[in-house]
Amino acid sequence: CRQLFRSPSMPSSVIRPILKRIDPLQDRDTPVKTKRRRSVAGTPGEEAAAEPVARLLRSKSFCHEEIENLLANDHQELIGDFSKAYLLQTVEGKHQDLKYISPEMMVAVLTGQFSSLIESCVIVDCRYPYEYEGGHIKGAVNLPMEQDVEEFLLKKPIVPFDASKRVIVIFHCEFSSERGPRMCRFVREKDRACNEYPHLHYPELYVLKGGYREFFPQYQTHCEPQDYRPMHHEDFKEDLRKFRQKSR
């Protein structure tokens, strides 16, 4: 499978301030303690069904020098049309051929920390409408079906007025496990088909790691309404059935 989006490791000076985990000395686990705790933990299904716990975090600010260093790094992979390096720092995700960003990086974009370089950021929420209506990232557009995203993005492509600035697209669903990544690949495939290689309407595509499920507990103030409705909500079983039939 041709890898169009694979992201190499980012500079340690950029990634570490965001991703490094600091454990209190008294809580450090030995391999034995870790093994015992895992043996009694709930199953993955039970964890996914748990209600999100509010955990508001302060977003990291990126100074102009840090952004310049990010862009100047020689090890960073080029975007889809090979014209420049990817702007946003990426993290490892489920699908190695795609570019993932963290919730912290999403907030950096939402709060305008890259406004001097990004003219338009399209956040594509690939969840079903009842999920979107129950709570979504501010400014996100709900495009759950392939025909929806093709109509919105490719029928009349978004072109920056300032050629020096970028148009980026960020996809997500509930967990960014299937629907979001699938839609990201679909857009790239269709974009390639309607352009002469290597030109693209949207060369810079990202997926929000963890999806809305991971974003909401940390950054509720960036969501509207400030709530989270899971795909398998008891009150929307019929809606789920209908949308799954449409997506086949």
Side-chain angles (χ1 to χ4, degrees), residues 10-60:
M10 296 299 300
S12 60
S13 62
V14 178
I15 296 181
R16 286 177 182 169
I18 295 178
L19 300 183
K20 186 174 181 182
R21 258 175 108 179
I22 302 177
D23 296 326
L25 292 176
Q26 65 272 20
D27 292 334
R28 287 186 176 176
D29 295 329
T30 64
V32 175
K33 289 182 179 179
T34 301
K35 184 175 181 180
R36 287 176 180 173
R37 181 160 59 225
R38 287 178 180 171
S39 67
V40 298
T43 63
E46 292 172 345
E47 293 176 0
E51 288 297 324
V53 178
R55 183 166 59 92
L56 302 181
L57 301 181
R58 180 179 297 175
S59 61
K60 175 178 172 62

Side-chain angles (χ1 to χ4, degrees), residues 182-216:
R182 182 171 61 245
M183 196 69 80
C184 182
R185 292 192 184 102
F186 172 79
V187 169
R188 175 52 55 85
E189 179 184 353
K190 290 295 183 180
D191 202 354
R192 284 286 186 210
C194 62
N195 280 287
E196 183 178 348
Y197 187 86
H199 299 295
L200 291 165
H201 295 305
Y202 305 102
E204 197 159 356
L205 307 179
Y206 299 94
V207 176
L208 174 62
K209 185 176 181 179
Y212 190 75
R213 175 64 176 79
E214 185 172 323
F215 184 89
F216 172 72

Side-chain angles (χ1 to χ4, degrees), residues 212-239:
Y212 190 75
R213 175 64 176 79
E214 185 172 323
F215 184 89
F216 172 72
Q218 302 179 49
Y219 301 107
Q220 296 182 27
T221 56
H222 290 282
C223 303
E224 59 180 8
Q226 292 184 18
D227 203 354
Y228 165 47
R229 182 178 292 162
M231 180 178 71
H232 291 286
H233 194 287
E234 286 294 324
D235 297 337
F236 296 91
K237 289 183 177 180
E238 184 61 24
D239 296 82

Side-chain angles (χ1 to χ4, degrees), residues 154-165:
L154 297 173
K155 187 173 183 180
K156 189 176 180 181
I158 301 170
V159 180
F161 291 104
D162 185 345
S164 66
K165 292 190 175 184

Side-chain angles (χ1 to χ4, degrees), residues 110-125:
L110 292 173
T111 54
Q113 294 182 39
F114 293 92
S115 59
S116 62
L117 299 168
I118 297 175
E119 182 170 302
S120 179
C121 172
V122 183
I123 303 172
V124 178
D125 189 330

